[in-house]
């Protein structure tokens, strides 16, 4: 038995098969089992949010006046 697993969100009763699988499954009879995503054991860890990643930053190596002259640094005018 060949099987694939992917996450999808139904829209109007339709589920889209990811592009990489469409051709090999086109026209075949398939068995579909629907499970809510929150009840399925995750196969990969959930990505951390931006705030979760920022909390891990201990020290930033930057110019001492970065907060005062941020715009100048962004525009490449570091002699502000």
């Amino acid at each position: 038995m060949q099987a694939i697993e992917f996450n999808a969100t139904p829209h109007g009763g339709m589920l889209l098969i990811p592009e990489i699988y469409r051709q090999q499954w086109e026209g075949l009879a398939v068995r579909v089992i629907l499970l809510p995503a929150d009840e399925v054991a995750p196969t990969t860890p959930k990505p951390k949010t931006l705030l979760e990643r920022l909390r891990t930053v201990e020290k930033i190596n930057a110019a001492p006046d970065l907060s005062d002259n941020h715009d100048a640094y962004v525009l490449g005018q570091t002699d502000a």
Side-chain angles (χ1 to χ4, degrees):
M1 177 177 93
Q2 182 182 8
I4 60 171
E5 180 179 333
F6 59 89
N7 293 324
T9 303
H11 295 283
M14 303 288 288
L15 291 172
L16 291 177
I17 297 174
E19 187 72 36
I20 60 173
Y21 303 119
R22 285 185 192 168
Q23 187 175 11
Q24 79 184 75
W25 292 91
E26 182 67 29
L28 296 177
V30 297
R31 180 186 326 179
V32 178
I33 301 171
L34 299 175
L35 298 171
D38 58 346
E39 292 182 14
V40 177
T43 56
T44 58
K46 182 179 175 184
K48 291 183 178 180
T49 66
L50 175 61
L51 289 177
E52 289 171 333
R53 291 183 302 186
L54 286 174
R55 284 187 195 111
T56 64
V57 176
E58 294 180 19
K59 184 177 180 180
I60 297 174
N61 292 328
D65 65 340
L66 179 64
S67 61
D68 295 326
N69 297 313
H70 175 267
D71 293 341
Y73 279 97
V74 169
L75 296 173
Q77 303 166 349
T78 56
D79 57 345

